[in-house]
Amino acid sequence: MAKKSFTLMVIPDHDAPVKRYTIQRSFLTQVGMGLMLVVGLGVGASVHYFQVAADASENRILREENLTLRSQLKSVRERIEHIGSTLDRVERFDQKLRAVTLLSDPQRNLAMGPTEPEAGTSAPATDTQFTQLTSTETPKALMGRLDRLSAEATRQEQSLQELQAYFQDQKSLLASTPSIWPARGWVTSDFGSRLDPYTADRVMHGGMDIAAPHGKEVFAPSDGTVVFAGLEGGYGNVLVIDHGYGIKTRYGHLSKMLVKAGDKVKRGMHIAAVGNTGRSTGPHLHYEVRVNGIGQNPRKFILEE
């Protein structure tokens, strides 16, 4: 049979007696199992500690990221609110401009009536669908709001481009509309029916005669393009300027022409000189304004005194 105990002998130095200790095998087994249990518990505790430490570190990082995301989300909400408020103001301004210019906007189905609220009604609230933000909105809801803001911004951009084109066209129209005296002098014959100085018959005078000294400057009354520069029957030396929008001006009896066909002219530009060429009784400028080929009274196109 296997021994159930062990004898441990301790032999000291010198003459001391040898000491014997008897250790039961079961005791050694229990001690070994205890040591193994302690080591196992130590290893388990170490693993648990490191896991807890790692979780704590990860939780700290997550908390920091959460705080950062909350701050960014707040900033996004504030920016959305600012953008929304700006778009609201732009839309109201757009409506006012369209009311002034009488431009319609079928996309919004805007009525081009008064922009002020009627009596007994209140003005629209400052906050609209774009500025009503809440602190509990989810990222998904914010993305939806951003999509709507993006669509509205695109629509506003198109609307403002249309208004810009309108005002640019109006600016071009104003620049192309005759508005100043083509020459300084005294009017000897106005637009309308008059007695012909050669035949004494009553005929239609399609322009205005401005008497002035020979060589007096003739100016372009507005922006345009010279479409004719040459002799034309009884009018002698003639210039014709096309101002666009169906408006043309004619200058007759010139002594000198300083521009030629194809030249661009600006309002106030020196283009010719008063003369006495053609069928004329003295130095003067024959000035006509035609709109879509129909003669108009030049005085309607002179804003100067």
Side-chain angles (χ1 to χ4, degrees), residues 91 94-95 98 103-113 155 159 162:
E91 183 168 2
D94 181 276
Q95 292 179 12
R98 288 183 178 277
L103 285 178
S104 62
D105 188 352
Q107 195 168 22
R108 292 190 184 85
N109 194 25
L110 296 178
M112 294 296 99
R155 189 170 62 178
S159 178
E162 181 182 343

Side-chain angles (χ1 to χ4, degrees), residues 26-305:
S26 59
F27 175 74
L28 290 175
T29 301
Q30 293 174 357
V31 171
M33 293 177 65
L35 289 174
M36 290 177 63
L37 179 62
V38 170
V39 171
L41 290 174
V43 171
S46 298
V47 171
H48 180 69
Y49 170 76
F50 287 115
Q51 287 180 342
V52 171
D55 290 342
S57 177
E58 184 177 357
N59 288 338
R60 180 179 57 79
I61 294 174
L62 289 175
R63 283 196 299 272
E64 292 176 354
E65 290 180 350
N66 188 39
L67 289 174
T68 301
L69 289 174
R70 285 177 180 273
S71 176
Q72 292 176 348
L73 193 60
K74 181 181 179 182
S75 177
V76 168
R77 288 195 183 99
E78 291 174 350
R79 293 180 64 183
I80 290 176
E81 184 172 359
H82 176 70
I83 294 172
S85 299
T86 302
L87 282 176
D88 291 336
R89 291 194 299 272
V90 169
E91 183 168 2
R92 288 194 294 272
F93 185 58
D94 181 276
Q95 292 179 12
K96 290 181 179 180
L97 284 179
R98 288 183 178 277
V100 170
T101 60
L102 301 179
L103 285 178
S104 62
D105 188 352
Q107 195 168 22
R108 292 190 184 85
N109 194 25
L110 296 178
M112 294 296 99
T115 58
E116 296 297 328
E118 296 181 0
T121 62
S122 59
T126 302
D127 291 336
T128 70
Q129 57 173 331
F130 300 113
T131 57
Q132 292 172 352
L133 295 174
T134 64
S135 59
T136 58
E137 278 191 308
T138 63
K140 183 177 180 180
L142 286 176
M143 289 302 296
R145 189 176 293 277
L146 281 172
D147 290 340
R148 291 193 295 274
L149 284 173
S150 177
E152 176 64 15
T154 300
R155 189 170 62 178
Q156 290 289 357
E157 181 182 16
Q158 294 173 349
S159 178
L160 292 177
Q161 286 175 350
E162 181 182 343
L163 285 170
Q164 181 186 27
Y166 171 82
F167 284 116
Q168 188 66 34
D169 187 63
Q170 292 299 304
K171 178 181 178 182
S172 176
L173 174 60
L174 290 173
S176 300
T177 302
S179 61
I180 65 174
W181 286 96
R184 285 296 183 176
W186 57 97
V187 177
T188 57
S189 182
D190 261 314
F191 176 87
S193 179
R194 70 165 187 173
L195 293 177
D196 187 283
Y198 287 93
T199 65
D201 294 331
R202 184 163 293 279
V203 295
M204 179 65 186
H205 187 229
M208 172 191 292
D209 289 342
I210 304 173
H214 190 279
K216 185 74 172 179
E217 298 93 341
V218 175
F219 303 100
S222 61
D223 299 355
T225 303
V226 179
V227 293
F228 180 80
L231 286 171
E232 187 179 298
Y235 289 103
N237 292 327
V238 172
L239 276 179
V240 180
I241 299 178
D242 187 346
H243 303 279
Y245 303 95
I247 304 172
K248 290 183 179 179
T249 52
R250 298 166 55 84
Y251 313 82
H253 308 301
L254 303 172
S255 63
K256 182 169 56 176
M257 294 179 289
L258 304 179
V259 292
K260 61 184 182 302
D263 286 351
K264 302 289 185 181
V265 299
K266 293 289 186 180
R267 178 180 284 122
M269 180 176 172
H270 184 193
I271 58 173
V274 172
N276 193 31
T277 58
R279 189 166 174 259
S280 172
T281 57
H284 73 283
L285 172 68
H286 176 78
Y287 175 53
E288 293 183 11
V289 179
R290 297 183 182 181
V291 179
N292 296 323
I294 301 175
Q296 304 289 324
N297 188 345
R299 286 189 181 272
K300 296 193 305 182
F301 296 87
I302 299 176
L303 304 181
E304 296 179 319
E305 292 295 335

